[in-house]
Amino acid sequence: FLTFGKSGKMASEDITKLAESLAKTKVGGGQLSFKGQSLKLNTAEDAEEVIKQIDEFDGLEALRLEGNTVGVEAAKVIAKALEKKSELKRCHWSDMFTGRLRSEIPPALISLGDALIAAGAQLVELDLSDNAFGPDGVRGFEALLKSPACYTLQELKLNNCGMGIGGGKILAAALKECHRKSSAQGKPLALKIFVAGRNRLENDGATALAEAFGIIGTLEEVHMPQNGINHPGITALAQAFAINPLLKVINLNDNTFTEKGAVAMAETLKALRQIEVINFGDCLVRSKGAVAIADAVKEGLHKLKELNLSFCEIKRDAALTVAEAIEDKTELEKLDLNGNCLGEEVCEQLHEILEGFNMASVLGSLSDDEGEEDEDEEEEEEDEDEEEEEEEEQQQLKERGTEEQESLTPKKIIDSQASTPVPSPPVDVATFLAFPSPEKLLRLGPKCSVLIAQQTDTSDVEKVVATLLRISSVFKDEAPVKTAVHETTDALMKKAFSSATFNSDAFISNLLAHMGLLKSEEKIKTVPSLYGILMTLNHMVQQDYFPKSLAPVLSAFVTKPNRALDSCSFARHMLLQTLHQL
């Protein structure tokens, strides 16, 4: 409802409208809300009305700024007004930097954080979700987290912020420091709710946070869905959860447990008495993991209200074991086993078992059941699992080996060279493209970009899109992987776009369809995560080979609201920013 002149200033009638709308913002219980008003606060002048409201609000305990966009200058003056608000306890500051450059967010957060420290506020809740600030953004509120203003913090919400491994490590260190300092004052940090879904924390970020959780020990809810965490990170979290006896809610949806992670988590569940919600949906716990979790449920968890093991590749016997385990769980409201590999007969058996306990109503829909799988497929999966785990272990050993090598004495180095190392199995292009992983791409060696471009028929748009998606799926922010992805993409796309027969329009349509951003008449399998392809496109569009005519098309589709893009707001923001600057 606001219009801005070319200078970005508001017309006087807009200020009147704004004043009227702001007059309605006071809410009971010491809360001042500007939620969802789409205010564009760039300059100090733009923020005048907001500041006036803050100044005039006695006993301000909660400030809602969601759904607006606050620039560096506006943040400074809002911060100045907050310096006098010592009673502020709750900062609802999610989604308040829409359309800002990533470089603008840390200084804005630093100003606001410094103001809360100066005011002597004692925060109970800090919500910075849905702000695409990346690892640098965590630096923006790091000082606040370590300060006395956060010694009283009970709820920390950082959903969908693109923190990455680096941001996860900075956050974990800040939480540990906050706990250390607050303990020295006799009132240790007693965090209850931690939310950090969709942040690409991966194993290293999750392990760093697990260390902090193990020290804190007061958690009641942990929500970390969609973070690319595999069994090493899941195991670290499981060990930390065991030291948090008040845990009620564990939501790790859409990470990759495999059997190792599921068994570790099941052991922890046996030690927890207060658990009400377990959400391990889309976590690949598989049958052995499901049986281990069922044992934990059977032995205890009397307060359990919800158990989600959907889309986990669980087979018939394991699913029946889960159903039998909930017999005496009188509080249970929902059991979700949808999207597993059961078949009609087993789905009916599940209903029968639960009817026998008078609990038929708790079973969720089974409409996405994958049907029974044959034994060959099971064996194939187990082989794949073992391959993945071997690769992970080799990578970890490699990393550990490098660290140890640096700290060895000369004599030990000579000894270790005497024993021949076990070589990694060789990788060819076909193996990488069939089961892509960052390690395999790096193992292809310096010629990987040339090899992949040579072996891809670039006259076939479908093949080019398929290869590009496989390369981009292994994208990581770490330098060697990022460089390998960029170089391989460049070689492939340069060859494709320079070919006279290559249809660029068909390429972009096909790519958008595979990304789930364009409806296709044929049945097309969409990629599970858009993060890698968005970050790869961010590099591609800046290269000379990329046809500038495709930029507006790409921009239009990435701008449109789409659920597939919601989990990648950071990568989407980066790409749109780059396209805007072309």
Side-chain angles (χ1 to χ4, degrees), residues 137-248:
V138 186
R139 294 262 182 234
F141 58 93
E142 180 185 15
L144 172 64
L145 273 184
K146 292 177 179 176
S147 77
C150 283
Y151 292 177
T152 45
L153 197 64
Q154 292 178 16
E155 300 180 31
L156 179 59
K157 298 172 182 174
L158 298 163
N159 207 48
N160 196 23
C161 294
M163 287 193 288
I165 293 170
K169 286 181 175 176
I170 298 165
L171 175 63
L175 286 171
K176 287 199 280 191
E177 180 74 350
C178 178
H179 188 270
R180 188 183 66 75
K181 287 177 164 177
S182 55
S183 299
Q185 303 232 332
K187 284 193 175 171
L189 169 70
L191 193 66
K192 291 180 180 176
I193 296 174
F194 179 82
V195 181
R198 297 176 171 178
N199 269 296
R200 306 183 335 276
L201 294 167
E202 297 181 26
N203 289 335
D204 292 353
T207 303
L209 283 164
E211 270 181 45
F213 297 161
I215 292 165
I216 292 167
T218 52
L219 287 164
E220 293 179 13
E221 292 186 25
V222 176
H223 301 262
M224 292 171 71
Q226 275 188 17
N227 268 300
I229 310 169
N230 301 332
H231 72 83
I234 295 296
T235 303
L237 286 171
Q239 288 161 353
F241 292 165
I243 312 166
N244 283 266
L246 304 174
L247 262 174
K248 292 178 186 170

Side-chain angles (χ1 to χ4, degrees), residues 3-11 40 42-43 45-46:
T3 50
F4 290 81
K6 278 183 185 161
S7 64
K9 290 179 181 169
M10 287 189 247
K40 288 184 180 164
N42 298 317
T43 62
E45 197 180 344
D46 296 340

Side-chain angles (χ1 to χ4, degrees), residues 23-68:
K24 299 170 193 156
T25 54
K26 279 202 185 187
V27 183
Q31 177 172 289
L32 176 62
S33 174
F34 302 96
K35 184 177 177 178
Q37 296 191 6
S38 304
L39 304 175
K40 288 184 180 164
L41 308 176
N42 298 317
T43 62
E45 197 180 344
D46 296 340
E48 273 175 13
E49 263 303 328
V50 173
I51 293 157
K52 186 167 173 266
Q53 292 276 338
I54 292 171
D55 283 339
E56 290 172 1
F57 199 118
D58 291 333
L60 179 64
E61 290 184 15
L63 177 62
R64 304 198 83 105
L65 289 171
E66 309 105 303
N68 300 292

Side-chain angles (χ1 to χ4, degrees), residues 54 70 112 146 197 360 375 385 439 481 535 539 567 576:
I54 292 171
V70 181
L112 292 164
K146 292 177 179 176
E375 282 169 30
D385 251 15
E439 293 74 29
V481 178
M535 292 303 272
H539 168 79
S567 59
L576 286 174

